[in-house]
Amino acid sequence: MYHIKIYSSKTDCWRDAGDPFPFSKLGVLFHSGVYWNGSVHWFDEWLGDLHYFNIDSESMKKMEMPRDPTKGFRRHIVYFNERRGHIYLIDMRNNDIPRYDIWEMPTDYTGWNLKYYVDLGPLTTVYPGIILDRSFFCRFKLHVLLIEEGEDSSRLILWVGKDKVISFDLKTKNFKEMYDVNPDAWLEGFEYVETLAHV
């Protein structure tokens, strides 16, 4: 069982919030915590649940993760974050070709909407270094840094192999190289937020 405590900067004290709640030891990824829609969200890939703690009501709720549309494939979550008022989850089907399902959650928590199905197989021809292992579960050197949704285009920003960052257009399926990476570097993607200060 896990407990949530809330810290108050006014009182400089911690206090218990809500009731204790269970997580599977194998599946929970606490670093996946994403603040969105007044709640902090975590996914439990092992049990297939999304847990979210509402800040105002101090209550923990849960709902099912997206259902696997093709039974028989093992899935692996490669991206979970908030972008421009929406929460996105990208999972990969573990087989010989990297394939992504991109899901979006509405603010009323009525269920996941499948926004895109992405076949990244052509990338393995251009960048053969993506494929690390072709054992029972194929492993890929392929990381989602960001998903960008715009009026005219939507794209994934991907780190492929060890040394390239590319942009993959989700509608046209075209991709282009954006940046050369030092092979010893580790990358993370963050949304740029601009703030205006009035003097």
Side-chain angles (χ1 to χ4, degrees):
M1 303 296 289
Y2 291 88
H3 300 256
I4 288 182
K5 291 181 179 286
I6 294 179
Y7 172 77
S8 170
S9 58
K10 292 182 180 179
T11 63
D12 191 28
C13 292
W14 292 87
R15 64 177 178 80
D16 289 329
D19 297 323
F21 56 94
F23 266 111
S24 69
K25 292 181 179 179
L26 295 176
V28 65
L29 296 175
F30 279 105
H31 65 266
S32 68
V34 172
Y35 179 77
W36 172 74
N37 202 25
S39 299
V40 182
H41 301 73
W42 299 271
F43 62 83
D44 188 331
E45 195 171 11
W46 187 260
L47 293 180
D49 295 326
L50 175 76
H51 299 257
Y52 56 102
F53 180 78
N54 184 275
I55 304 296
D56 291 333
S57 65
E58 297 188 10
S59 60
M60 180 66 76
K61 300 178 181 179
K62 74 175 182 177
M63 65 177 301
E64 287 187 354
M65 298 288 272
R67 294 191 177 276
D68 190 344
T70 56
K71 292 182 179 179
F73 287 105
R74 183 179 175 87
R75 302 171 81 180
H76 175 64
I77 294 171
V78 297
Y79 183 87
F80 180 66
N81 215 334
E82 182 271 340
R83 290 283 292 162
R84 297 189 179 187
H86 300 275
I87 198 163
Y88 290 96
L89 182 146
I90 303 176
D91 60 2
M92 183 175 74
R93 306 177 192 183
N94 285 349
N95 51 19
D96 285 341
I97 299 173
R99 295 184 176 98
Y100 287 169
D101 292 326
I102 302 178
W103 304 86
E104 182 185 68
M105 171 68 74
T107 55
D108 60 1
Y109 295 95
T110 51
W112 295 94
N113 299 318
L114 182 62
K115 290 214 64 172
Y116 301 100
Y117 167 75
V118 184
D119 183 349
L120 296 175
L123 293 181
T124 61
T125 302
V126 180
Y127 305 104
I130 290 176
I131 302 175
L132 296 178
D133 182 19
R134 283 195 177 276
S135 57
F136 183 66
F137 291 120
C138 200
R139 297 186 302 120
F140 303 99
K141 177 67 174 175
L142 186 62
H143 299 279
V144 178
L145 298 177
L146 284 175
I147 179 171
E148 293 187 343
E149 285 265 70
E151 293 181 4
D152 300 325
S153 66
S154 299
R155 61 185 185 156
L156 290 178
I157 308 301
L158 302 168
W159 177 19
V160 299
K162 293 183 178 180
D163 58 357
K164 297 290 182 184
V165 173
I166 68 168
S167 168
F168 183 90
D169 192 294
L170 291 167
K171 295 179 180 177
T172 67
K173 313 303 181 188
N174 295 326
F175 58 91
K176 64 179 181 180
E177 293 184 3
M178 299 176 65
Y179 185 70
D180 291 328
V181 181
N182 182 325
D184 296 325
W186 178 262
L187 300 183
E188 293 285 347
F190 299 95
E191 181 177 8
Y192 172 75
V193 179
E194 182 177 354
T195 58
L196 299 177
H198 297 281
V199 179

